[in-house]
Amino acid sequence: MNTETGNIYKELGISENVYQFSMEILDSLSARFCEIDKNAEYNQLKVIKAMQDNKVSEACLLGTTGYGYNDLGRDTLEAVYASVFHTQDALVRPQITCGTHALALALMSNLRPGDELLSPVGKPYDTLEEVIGIRPSKGSLAEYGITYKQVGLLEDGSFDYESIKKAVNAKTRLVTIQRSKGYQTRPTLSVKKIGELIAFIKGIKPDVICMVDNCYGEFVERSEPTDVGADMVVGSLIKNPGGGLAPIGGYIAGTKECVENAAYRLTSPGLGKEVGASLGILKDFYQGLFLAPTVTAGALKGAIFAANAYEKLGFSVVPNSTEPRHDIIQAVTFGTPEGVIAFCKGIQAAAPVDSFVTPEPWDMPGYDSKVIMAAGAFVSGSSIELSADGPVTPPYAVYFQGGLTFEHARFGIMKSLQSVVDAGIVTL
Ligand SMILES: *Cc1c(COP(=O)(O)O)cnc(C)c1O
């Protein structure tokens, strides 16, 4: 630790033991990190090519006000997203307030009364339960006479093809596939697996719309779900594709018809994509997308570092230390409330913003148990920035993700280790 870098870690509260332990883990990961860098290189070039092909110019970085007619920057950005995802069109707007809004918009605009929605990968993300009406809610799809069917994954995480086949019927109009496991224990789906599922469903009913909830999955692999048959991918700009710079927003990329439907619902029938001023936000959207491949790579490396460190200390980690990655989320099961709390305190203490505050478990609306959250982000609630949260309830698992740079993600995990060691939960 007697180097310039070792010294500054010491000044930031990292002990000799934690430093040495972390260095050993990191040394063992260089081949894996090299693979991630190669993917980042490919995806970086994919984004640059999309920007060049669509002639992004300095004028595109400026915004419009009022109605936002003829917004060159907005229209070009949407063409860039369509190029990146290899789709006919895209809707990328600051007026889409978050990921849930983007997903709700895609569903509500592409389903009509009497249609049925199918999830063949089990329960969707928590917030979608109210969108669909699984939990009764004002304005849900259920209120508009849109029914819902769900088929769970099999015990081993594979698709239940037999039950999916039975669930597809004359009313089935749209199939929603969540790529990331979110806060569940099922495995995250690879793009290849999503492709197999879509091929199977289209084999039964060719005209069904296949939508993928792409949250946390963008740029983790070289291909995206729209490269393997998805009609629409949907996500949040304060996760991977915003590269940490987008302060708000969501996107829908897909077929001309799906995107058109979404645009008419977001603004108004008759207006569609033609309105929606971009104000001054476009430079951050472009620059964020430009940074997204390397930011995502840094977050992935952080997740792999954490999996390896905590697995070595005897904790159960999902994904485990060696398995392939399809999103940026890492779960660590501590088995005790003290472990979850100590981990989150460490992540908070590593933040560039609000490092001096102490996260405490609280009764968050919509949860049965207390939840503890660590986030010291430049963009409020941004989970491409280093962040962690855990419901303080058995099995006492913490979920963490992000890191705008690998250097920060790595420091955050070292601080979490220090906090867990200082709390006497493990000894190194
Ligand atoms: C984050 C997330 C959402 C919802 O996004 P919000 O921006 O939090 O509304 C939906 N699905 C998945 C898989 C997510 O990770």
PDB file of all heavy atoms in Angstrom, residues 97-101 103 125 127-128 178-183 213 215-216 236 238-239 329 383, ligand 1:
ATOM      1  N   THR A  97     -41.072  10.238 -18.697  1.00  0.00           N
ATOM      2  CA  THR A  97     -40.503  10.625 -17.403  1.00  0.00           C
ATOM      3  C   THR A  97     -39.591   9.588 -16.767  1.00  0.00           C
ATOM      4  O   THR A  97     -38.759   9.922 -15.931  1.00  0.00           O
ATOM      5  CB  THR A  97     -41.630  10.941 -16.398  1.00  0.00           C
ATOM      6  OG1 THR A  97     -42.468   9.783 -16.294  1.00  0.00           O
ATOM      7  CG2 THR A  97     -42.453  12.117 -16.861  1.00  0.00           C
ATOM      8  N   CYS A  98     -39.760   8.312 -17.103  1.00  0.00           N
ATOM      9  CA  CYS A  98     -38.954   7.259 -16.468  1.00  0.00           C
ATOM     10  C   CYS A  98     -39.180   5.950 -17.221  1.00  0.00           C
ATOM     11  O   CYS A  98     -39.943   5.903 -18.188  1.00  0.00           O
ATOM     12  CB  CYS A  98     -39.333   7.103 -14.993  1.00  0.00           C
ATOM     13  SG  CYS A  98     -41.047   6.597 -14.740  1.00  0.00           S
ATOM     14  N   GLY A  99     -38.544   4.891 -16.768  1.00  0.00           N
ATOM     15  CA  GLY A  99     -38.668   3.593 -17.435  1.00  0.00           C
ATOM     16  C   GLY A  99     -40.087   3.052 -17.398  1.00  0.00           C
ATOM     17  O   GLY A  99     -40.602   2.546 -18.405  1.00  0.00           O
ATOM     18  N   THR A 100     -40.717   3.175 -16.237  1.00  0.00           N
ATOM     19  CA  THR A 100     -42.097   2.684 -16.107  1.00  0.00           C
ATOM     20  C   THR A 100     -43.008   3.411 -17.093  1.00  0.00           C
ATOM     21  O   THR A 100     -43.857   2.783 -17.747  1.00  0.00           O
ATOM     22  CB  THR A 100     -42.609   2.908 -14.670  1.00  0.00           C
ATOM     23  OG1 THR A 100     -41.717   2.261 -13.773  1.00  0.00           O
ATOM     24  CG2 THR A 100     -44.017   2.377 -14.485  1.00  0.00           C
ATOM     25  N   HIS A 101     -42.820   4.719 -17.221  1.00  0.00           N
ATOM     26  CA  HIS A 101     -43.635   5.510 -18.156  1.00  0.00           C
ATOM     27  C   HIS A 101     -43.415   5.037 -19.596  1.00  0.00           C
ATOM     28  O   HIS A 101     -44.367   4.867 -20.360  1.00  0.00           O
ATOM     29  CB  HIS A 101     -43.276   6.995 -17.997  1.00  0.00           C
ATOM     30  CG  HIS A 101     -44.132   7.917 -18.805  1.00  0.00           C
ATOM     31  ND1 HIS A 101     -43.838   9.248 -18.952  1.00  0.00           N
ATOM     32  CD2 HIS A 101     -45.268   7.706 -19.531  1.00  0.00           C
ATOM     33  CE1 HIS A 101     -44.762   9.818 -19.722  1.00  0.00           C
ATOM     34  NE2 HIS A 101     -45.626   8.900 -20.088  1.00  0.00           N
ATOM     35  N   LEU A 103     -42.499   2.084 -20.605  1.00  0.00           N
ATOM     36  CA  LEU A 103     -43.121   0.762 -20.765  1.00  0.00           C
ATOM     37  C   LEU A 103     -44.646   0.889 -20.827  1.00  0.00           C
ATOM     38  O   LEU A 103     -45.299   0.257 -21.671  1.00  0.00           O
ATOM     39  CB  LEU A 103     -42.711  -0.157 -19.610  1.00  0.00           C
ATOM     40  CG  LEU A 103     -41.253  -0.616 -19.675  1.00  0.00           C
ATOM     41  CD1 LEU A 103     -40.733  -1.024 -18.300  1.00  0.00           C
ATOM     42  CD2 LEU A 103     -41.106  -1.781 -20.658  1.00  0.00           C
ATOM     43  N   TYR A 125     -41.665  -6.476 -13.715  1.00  0.00           N
ATOM     44  CA  TYR A 125     -41.149  -5.507 -12.740  1.00  0.00           C
ATOM     45  C   TYR A 125     -42.290  -4.933 -11.898  1.00  0.00           C
ATOM     46  O   TYR A 125     -43.382  -4.690 -12.403  1.00  0.00           O
ATOM     47  CB  TYR A 125     -40.450  -4.391 -13.517  1.00  0.00           C
ATOM     48  CG  TYR A 125     -39.517  -3.536 -12.725  1.00  0.00           C
ATOM     49  CD1 TYR A 125     -38.273  -4.016 -12.333  1.00  0.00           C
ATOM     50  CD2 TYR A 125     -39.854  -2.227 -12.389  1.00  0.00           C
ATOM     51  CE1 TYR A 125     -37.402  -3.219 -11.613  1.00  0.00           C
ATOM     52  CE2 TYR A 125     -38.986  -1.421 -11.678  1.00  0.00           C
ATOM     53  CZ  TYR A 125     -37.768  -1.919 -11.290  1.00  0.00           C
ATOM     54  OH  TYR A 125     -36.900  -1.119 -10.584  1.00  0.00           O
ATOM     55  N   THR A 127     -43.370  -2.143 -10.695  1.00  0.00           N
ATOM     56  CA  THR A 127     -44.183  -0.980 -11.057  1.00  0.00           C
ATOM     57  C   THR A 127     -45.146  -1.294 -12.204  1.00  0.00           C
ATOM     58  O   THR A 127     -46.121  -0.579 -12.408  1.00  0.00           O
ATOM     59  CB  THR A 127     -43.298   0.215 -11.459  1.00  0.00           C
ATOM     60  OG1 THR A 127     -42.406  -0.212 -12.489  1.00  0.00           O
ATOM     61  CG2 THR A 127     -42.477   0.730 -10.286  1.00  0.00           C
ATOM     62  N   LEU A 128     -44.861  -2.363 -12.956  1.00  0.00           N
ATOM     63  CA  LEU A 128     -45.751  -2.709 -14.076  1.00  0.00           C
ATOM     64  C   LEU A 128     -47.017  -3.413 -13.603  1.00  0.00           C
ATOM     65  O   LEU A 128     -47.990  -3.519 -14.344  1.00  0.00           O
ATOM     66  CB  LEU A 128     -45.018  -3.580 -15.088  1.00  0.00           C
ATOM     67  CG  LEU A 128     -44.010  -2.844 -15.958  1.00  0.00           C
ATOM     68  CD1 LEU A 128     -43.524  -3.750 -17.055  1.00  0.00           C
ATOM     69  CD2 LEU A 128     -44.610  -1.587 -16.560  1.00  0.00           C
ATOM     70  N   GLN A 178     -39.195  -9.342 -20.155  1.00  0.00           N
ATOM     71  CA  GLN A 178     -38.261  -8.536 -19.357  1.00  0.00           C
ATOM     72  C   GLN A 178     -36.881  -9.178 -19.413  1.00  0.00           C
ATOM     73  O   GLN A 178     -36.694 -10.317 -19.005  1.00  0.00           O
ATOM     74  CB  GLN A 178     -38.771  -8.448 -17.925  1.00  0.00           C
ATOM     75  CG  GLN A 178     -37.970  -7.506 -17.057  1.00  0.00           C
ATOM     76  CD  GLN A 178     -38.530  -7.452 -15.651  1.00  0.00           C
ATOM     77  OE1 GLN A 178     -39.724  -7.230 -15.438  1.00  0.00           O
ATOM     78  NE2 GLN A 178     -37.677  -7.670 -14.667  1.00  0.00           N
ATOM     79  N   ARG A 179     -35.911  -8.407 -19.933  1.00  0.00           N
ATOM     80  CA  ARG A 179     -34.555  -8.935 -20.127  1.00  0.00           C
ATOM     81  C   ARG A 179     -33.839  -9.144 -18.785  1.00  0.00           C
ATOM     82  O   ARG A 179     -33.296 -10.204 -18.513  1.00  0.00           O
ATOM     83  CB  ARG A 179     -33.786  -7.934 -20.993  1.00  0.00           C
ATOM     84  CG  ARG A 179     -32.357  -8.310 -21.306  1.00  0.00           C
ATOM     85  CD  ARG A 179     -31.816  -7.332 -22.348  1.00  0.00           C
ATOM     86  NE  ARG A 179     -30.414  -7.512 -22.625  1.00  0.00           N
ATOM     87  CZ  ARG A 179     -29.715  -6.775 -23.501  1.00  0.00           C
ATOM     88  NH1 ARG A 179     -30.322  -5.814 -24.174  1.00  0.00           N
ATOM     89  NH2 ARG A 179     -28.437  -6.980 -23.700  1.00  0.00           N
ATOM     90  N   SER A 180     -33.863  -8.117 -17.955  1.00  0.00           N
ATOM     91  CA  SER A 180     -33.156  -8.172 -16.670  1.00  0.00           C
ATOM     92  C   SER A 180     -34.010  -8.872 -15.622  1.00  0.00           C
ATOM     93  O   SER A 180     -35.230  -8.766 -15.645  1.00  0.00           O
ATOM     94  CB  SER A 180     -32.845  -6.758 -16.211  1.00  0.00           C
ATOM     95  OG  SER A 180     -32.416  -6.757 -14.881  1.00  0.00           O
ATOM     96  N   LYS A 181     -33.356  -9.533 -14.696  1.00  0.00           N
ATOM     97  CA  LYS A 181     -34.112 -10.167 -13.615  1.00  0.00           C
ATOM     98  C   LYS A 181     -34.724  -9.129 -12.683  1.00  0.00           C
ATOM     99  O   LYS A 181     -35.620  -9.424 -11.919  1.00  0.00           O
ATOM    100  CB  LYS A 181     -33.226 -11.110 -12.812  1.00  0.00           C
ATOM    101  CG  LYS A 181     -32.114 -10.407 -12.037  1.00  0.00           C
ATOM    102  CD  LYS A 181     -31.244 -11.417 -11.340  1.00  0.00           C
ATOM    103  CE  LYS A 181     -30.021 -10.760 -10.722  1.00  0.00           C
ATOM    104  NZ  LYS A 181     -29.200  -9.989 -11.665  1.00  0.00           N
ATOM    105  N   GLY A 182     -34.224  -7.879 -12.760  1.00  0.00           N
ATOM    106  CA  GLY A 182     -34.705  -6.864 -11.818  1.00  0.00           C
ATOM    107  C   GLY A 182     -34.368  -7.322 -10.416  1.00  0.00           C
ATOM    108  O   GLY A 182     -33.252  -7.771 -10.154  1.00  0.00           O
ATOM    109  N   TYR A 183     -35.352  -7.256  -9.529  1.00  0.00           N
ATOM    110  CA  TYR A 183     -35.087  -7.650  -8.142  1.00  0.00           C
ATOM    111  C   TYR A 183     -35.683  -9.023  -7.842  1.00  0.00           C
ATOM    112  O   TYR A 183     -36.249  -9.252  -6.791  1.00  0.00           O
ATOM    113  CB  TYR A 183     -35.599  -6.555  -7.198  1.00  0.00           C
ATOM    114  CG  TYR A 183     -34.942  -5.236  -7.520  1.00  0.00           C
ATOM    115  CD1 TYR A 183     -35.667  -4.118  -7.853  1.00  0.00           C
ATOM    116  CD2 TYR A 183     -33.555  -5.149  -7.551  1.00  0.00           C
ATOM    117  CE1 TYR A 183     -35.039  -2.917  -8.181  1.00  0.00           C
ATOM    118  CE2 TYR A 183     -32.917  -3.960  -7.877  1.00  0.00           C
ATOM    119  CZ  TYR A 183     -33.670  -2.850  -8.197  1.00  0.00           C
ATOM    120  OH  TYR A 183     -33.038  -1.682  -8.529  1.00  0.00           O
ATOM    121  N   ASP A 213     -38.588  -5.348 -22.368  1.00  0.00           N
ATOM    122  CA  ASP A 213     -38.172  -4.376 -21.350  1.00  0.00           C
ATOM    123  C   ASP A 213     -36.653  -4.495 -21.264  1.00  0.00           C
ATOM    124  O   ASP A 213     -36.121  -5.463 -20.744  1.00  0.00           O
ATOM    125  CB  ASP A 213     -38.842  -4.722 -20.018  1.00  0.00           C
ATOM    126  CG  ASP A 213     -38.343  -3.844 -18.868  1.00  0.00           C
ATOM    127  OD1 ASP A 213     -37.367  -3.089 -19.055  1.00  0.00           O
ATOM    128  OD2 ASP A 213     -38.936  -3.936 -17.771  1.00  0.00           O
ATOM    129  N   CYS A 215     -34.415  -2.507 -19.809  1.00  0.00           N
ATOM    130  CA  CYS A 215     -33.767  -1.799 -18.701  1.00  0.00           C
ATOM    131  C   CYS A 215     -32.564  -2.559 -18.153  1.00  0.00           C
ATOM    132  O   CYS A 215     -32.672  -3.750 -17.870  1.00  0.00           O
ATOM    133  CB  CYS A 215     -34.764  -1.573 -17.564  1.00  0.00           C
ATOM    134  SG  CYS A 215     -35.932  -0.250 -17.884  1.00  0.00           S
ATOM    135  N   TYR A 216     -31.463  -1.878 -17.996  1.00  0.00           N
ATOM    136  CA  TYR A 216     -30.192  -2.406 -17.475  1.00  0.00           C
ATOM    137  C   TYR A 216     -29.454  -3.337 -18.441  1.00  0.00           C
ATOM    138  O   TYR A 216     -28.379  -3.834 -18.117  1.00  0.00           O
ATOM    139  CB  TYR A 216     -30.375  -3.155 -16.142  1.00  0.00           C
ATOM    140  CG  TYR A 216     -30.710  -2.296 -14.974  1.00  0.00           C
ATOM    141  CD1 TYR A 216     -31.780  -2.617 -14.133  1.00  0.00           C
ATOM    142  CD2 TYR A 216     -29.959  -1.167 -14.673  1.00  0.00           C
ATOM    143  CE1 TYR A 216     -32.096  -1.834 -13.036  1.00  0.00           C
ATOM    144  CE2 TYR A 216     -30.265  -0.382 -13.582  1.00  0.00           C
ATOM    145  CZ  TYR A 216     -31.333  -0.722 -12.763  1.00  0.00           C
ATOM    146  OH  TYR A 216     -31.638   0.049 -11.679  1.00  0.00           O
ATOM    147  N   SER A 236     -35.031   3.172 -19.973  1.00  0.00           N
ATOM    148  CA  SER A 236     -34.904   4.448 -19.271  1.00  0.00           C
ATOM    149  C   SER A 236     -33.573   5.105 -19.600  1.00  0.00           C
ATOM    150  O   SER A 236     -32.546   4.428 -19.701  1.00  0.00           O
ATOM    151  CB  SER A 236     -34.973   4.175 -17.765  1.00  0.00           C
ATOM    152  OG  SER A 236     -34.469   5.276 -17.039  1.00  0.00           O
ATOM    153  N   ILE A 238     -32.091   7.195 -17.549  1.00  0.00           N
ATOM    154  CA  ILE A 238     -31.233   7.345 -16.373  1.00  0.00           C
ATOM    155  C   ILE A 238     -30.665   5.988 -15.953  1.00  0.00           C
ATOM    156  O   ILE A 238     -30.199   5.797 -14.845  1.00  0.00           O
ATOM    157  CB  ILE A 238     -31.884   8.128 -15.209  1.00  0.00           C
ATOM    158  CG1 ILE A 238     -33.099   7.439 -14.650  1.00  0.00           C
ATOM    159  CG2 ILE A 238     -32.227   9.557 -15.652  1.00  0.00           C
ATOM    160  CD1 ILE A 238     -33.534   8.038 -13.297  1.00  0.00           C
ATOM    161  N   LYS A 239     -30.693   5.046 -16.899  1.00  0.00           N
ATOM    162  CA  LYS A 239     -29.937   3.798 -16.775  1.00  0.00           C
ATOM    163  C   LYS A 239     -28.916   3.782 -17.925  1.00  0.00           C
ATOM    164  O   LYS A 239     -28.512   4.851 -18.402  1.00  0.00           O
ATOM    165  CB  LYS A 239     -30.885   2.617 -16.778  1.00  0.00           C
ATOM    166  CG  LYS A 239     -31.772   2.620 -15.519  1.00  0.00           C
ATOM    167  CD  LYS A 239     -32.745   1.477 -15.492  1.00  0.00           C
ATOM    168  CE  LYS A 239     -33.601   1.552 -14.230  1.00  0.00           C
ATOM    169  NZ  LYS A 239     -34.676   0.545 -14.260  1.00  0.00           N
ATOM    170  N   ILE A 329     -26.823  -5.651 -12.914  1.00  0.00           N
ATOM    171  CA  ILE A 329     -27.237  -5.777 -11.508  1.00  0.00           C
ATOM    172  C   ILE A 329     -26.492  -6.917 -10.816  1.00  0.00           C
ATOM    173  O   ILE A 329     -26.294  -7.987 -11.386  1.00  0.00           O
ATOM    174  CB  ILE A 329     -28.760  -6.020 -11.408  1.00  0.00           C
ATOM    175  CG1 ILE A 329     -29.502  -4.845 -12.034  1.00  0.00           C
ATOM    176  CG2 ILE A 329     -29.185  -6.202  -9.950  1.00  0.00           C
ATOM    177  CD1 ILE A 329     -30.996  -4.995 -12.007  1.00  0.00           C
ATOM    178  N   SER A 383     -29.698   5.055 -11.623  1.00  0.00           N
ATOM    179  CA  SER A 383     -29.103   3.799 -11.188  1.00  0.00           C
ATOM    180  C   SER A 383     -28.046   3.301 -12.173  1.00  0.00           C
ATOM    181  O   SER A 383     -27.599   2.171 -12.093  1.00  0.00           O
ATOM    182  CB  SER A 383     -30.178   2.747 -10.925  1.00  0.00           C
ATOM    183  OG  SER A 383     -31.105   2.711 -11.967  1.00  0.00           O
TER     184      SER A 383
HETATM  185  C1  LIG B   1     -35.783   0.204 -13.629  1.00  0.00           C
HETATM  186  C2  LIG B   1     -36.644  -0.790 -14.298  1.00  0.00           C
HETATM  187  C3  LIG B   1     -37.950  -0.478 -14.705  1.00  0.00           C
HETATM  188  C4  LIG B   1     -38.646   0.814 -14.347  1.00  0.00           C
HETATM  189  O1  LIG B   1     -37.915   1.939 -14.535  1.00  0.00           O
HETATM  190  P1  LIG B   1     -38.139   3.255 -13.642  1.00  0.00           P
HETATM  191  O2  LIG B   1     -37.306   4.234 -14.365  1.00  0.00           O
HETATM  192  O3  LIG B   1     -37.648   2.958 -12.266  1.00  0.00           O
HETATM  193  O4  LIG B   1     -39.577   3.597 -13.668  1.00  0.00           O
HETATM  194  C5  LIG B   1     -38.657  -1.434 -15.389  1.00  0.00           C
HETATM  195  N1  LIG B   1     -38.133  -2.641 -15.640  1.00  0.00           N
HETATM  196  C6  LIG B   1     -36.898  -2.989 -15.245  1.00  0.00           C
HETATM  197  C7  LIG B   1     -36.369  -4.353 -15.539  1.00  0.00           C
HETATM  198  C8  LIG B   1     -36.108  -2.078 -14.569  1.00  0.00           C
HETATM  199  O5  LIG B   1     -34.880  -2.414 -14.180  1.00  0.00           O
END
